[in-house]
Amino acid sequence: MGAQFSKQVERRKTLRIEKNVLAELKVTAGEDFPGSDYRPPDRKNWMANLGSERTRIHQIIWPGTHDSATNDIGIPFITRPFAQCQSLSIYQQLVLGTRLLDIRIQENRLVCHGILSTYSVDVVFSDIKKFLAETQSEILILEIRTEFGHNDPPDFDKYVVEQLGEFLIHNDDRVFEKTIADLLPRRVICIWKPRKSPPPKGGDPLWGGGYLRDNWIDTDLPSTKFDSNIQHLSEQPPVTKRKYFYRVENTVTPKADNPVLCVKPVTKRIHQFARLFINQSFAKGVADKLQVLSTDFIDGDFVDACVGLTSARIDGRA
């Protein structure tokens, strides 16, 4: 018991130090970057407002959500706080400006996060189609993966094509150089990451897992995650030189040996530092590699930061 208590005291001390590191950096470095003062007039149509004919896919900073379809997961006040990473529905996230979705599924096509499940993936497809019907030039990246510890849904690749076929942008490395206008009326890049089923191939309606990469680390310490994100980002080629999307997740993860196990108070430790991360990507000379930035509990300011930098890139200011 004494050893466990000492460990908790030490962890709280480490956490306090890490919080202070980022808070002090925010004060000294600020949060300015090219486009940081930009506010989209309409988040629902922010790509259209930037200009579909002049916005290339590799220029976009994609605002993404982590575990996107967990707004209704588990039992309220009992199991939900341990698995919920978003409070908005898929449709609400898209209207807010989210342009990359992270969907985890199990064998029966239910969305899940670990051992907890929620609604059918059909709800996700329905929300996406509703959003696409209400907009004209917004492009989405839809990542669907079989959750760890689960089996692939049978013939799921065919099912996705049945549901979204008319909107799917087919697997083609040339997409990264194209403008949004070049891709229309197709508007969804769907990345399918099965556990055991054959992965998509070049030319298929779906894209393989290698087209969306990241370097996730399992930590609840904000400065440790922040520094790891910068380091791994620095190891990537610039967006103009690569043929895959690279994701930075501005999130931290509850740890089993910590008294705080609910997602929201833990991920809040890093959530407020998204603009600081963009600022520091410029300070460290790696901003030309930044492409997908994902978060838990997405809000308008996070979207605005991503859109602002996208705008600056299009205008040649970044």
Side-chain angles (χ1 to χ4, degrees), residues 9 20 31 37 41 53 71 82 131 135 150 156 165 188 241 251-252 294 302 305 314:
V9 170
N20 287 339
E31 297 181 306
D37 58 347
E53 294 184 353
N71 58 298
F82 303 106
F131 174 76
T135 56
H150 293 277
F156 188 72
V188 179
K241 303 291 185 181
T251 63
V252 287
S294 288
F302 184 89
I314 294 168

Side-chain angles (χ1 to χ4, degrees), residues 148-167:
F148 181 78
H150 293 277
N151 295 320
D152 300 325
D155 297 320
F156 188 72
D157 52 347
K158 296 177 183 176
Y159 186 68
V160 175
V161 174
E162 288 175 6
Q163 295 298 311
L164 298 176
E166 64 181 297
F167 303 110

Side-chain angles (χ1 to χ4, degrees), residues 15-16 45 48 55 62 94 104-106 116 118 121 130 150 169 178-179 182 195 199 206 219 230-231 252 283:
L15 177 58
R16 184 168 61 251
N45 292 283
T55 304
W62 303 79
L94 294 172
R104 325 283 179 92
I105 58 171
Q106 57 191 36
L116 294 180
T118 180
V121 72
K130 178 181 179 181
H150 293 277
I169 298 167
K178 293 185 177 183
T179 66
D182 291 334
R195 287 285 166 190
L206 308 183
T219 182
I230 288 286
Q231 177 59 39
V252 287

Side-chain angles (χ1 to χ4, degrees), residues 41-224:
D42 176 11
R43 293 190 185 111
K44 184 176 182 179
N45 292 283
W46 67 260
M47 288 183 172
N49 290 331
L50 292 180
S52 62
E53 294 184 353
R54 67 192 195 105
T55 304
R56 298 192 180 277
I57 297 303
H58 71 254
Q59 294 177 305
I60 298 169
I61 304 295
W62 303 79
T65 50
H66 167 245
D67 268 302
S68 305
T70 54
N71 58 298
D72 203 30
I73 200 166
I75 303 171
F77 308 110
I78 299 177
T79 57
R80 183 170 298 171
F82 303 106
Q84 184 186 45
C85 298
Q86 306 297 331
S87 56
L88 302 177
S89 70
I90 294 298
Y91 173 74
Q92 289 170 331
Q93 291 174 44
L94 294 172
V95 170
L96 183 66
T98 301
R99 293 296 177 266
L100 181 139
L101 299 170
D102 160 21
I103 308 297
R104 325 283 179 92
I105 58 171
Q106 57 191 36
E107 190 173 9
N108 58 2
R109 296 181 188 164
L110 292 183
V111 175
C112 61
H113 183 187
I115 62 172
L116 294 180
S117 61
T118 180
Y119 42 71
S120 167
V121 72
D122 290 343
V123 175
V124 175
F125 293 150
S126 177
D127 276 8
I128 289 173
K129 286 187 278 191
K130 178 181 179 181
F131 174 76
L132 294 175
E134 295 174 355
T135 56
Q136 294 183 336
S137 303
E138 306 304 300
I139 302 290
L140 317 179
I141 300 175
L142 171 62
E143 177 197 24
I144 309 178
R145 72 175 90 172
T146 303
E147 180 68 301
F148 181 78
H150 293 277
N151 295 320
D152 300 325
D155 297 320
F156 188 72
D157 52 347
K158 296 177 183 176
Y159 186 68
V160 175
V161 174
E162 288 175 6
Q163 295 298 311
L164 298 176
E166 64 181 297
F167 303 110
L168 294 175
I169 298 167
H170 287 217
N171 186 334
D172 184 347
D173 284 355
R174 294 173 296 180
V175 163
F176 294 92
E177 300 297 327
K178 293 185 177 183
T179 66
I180 291 174
D182 291 334
L183 300 177
L184 297 176
R186 297 183 179 272
R187 297 167 58 193
V188 179
I189 297 171
C190 184
I191 296 169
W192 166 226
K193 297 181 177 180
R195 287 285 166 190
K196 296 180 179 180
S197 303
K201 304 182 296 295
D204 285 356
L206 308 183
W207 299 57
Y211 281 100
L212 177 59
R213 306 179 191 180
D214 54 40
N215 292 98
W216 179 81
I217 65 166
D218 188 12
T219 182
D220 62 352
L221 298 174
S223 183
T224 295

Side-chain angles (χ1 to χ4, degrees), residues 23-40:
E24 290 172 6
L25 182 60
K26 183 176 178 179
V27 171
T28 57
E31 297 181 306
D32 291 340
F33 52 84
S36 61
D37 58 347
Y38 181 85
R39 297 295 182 272

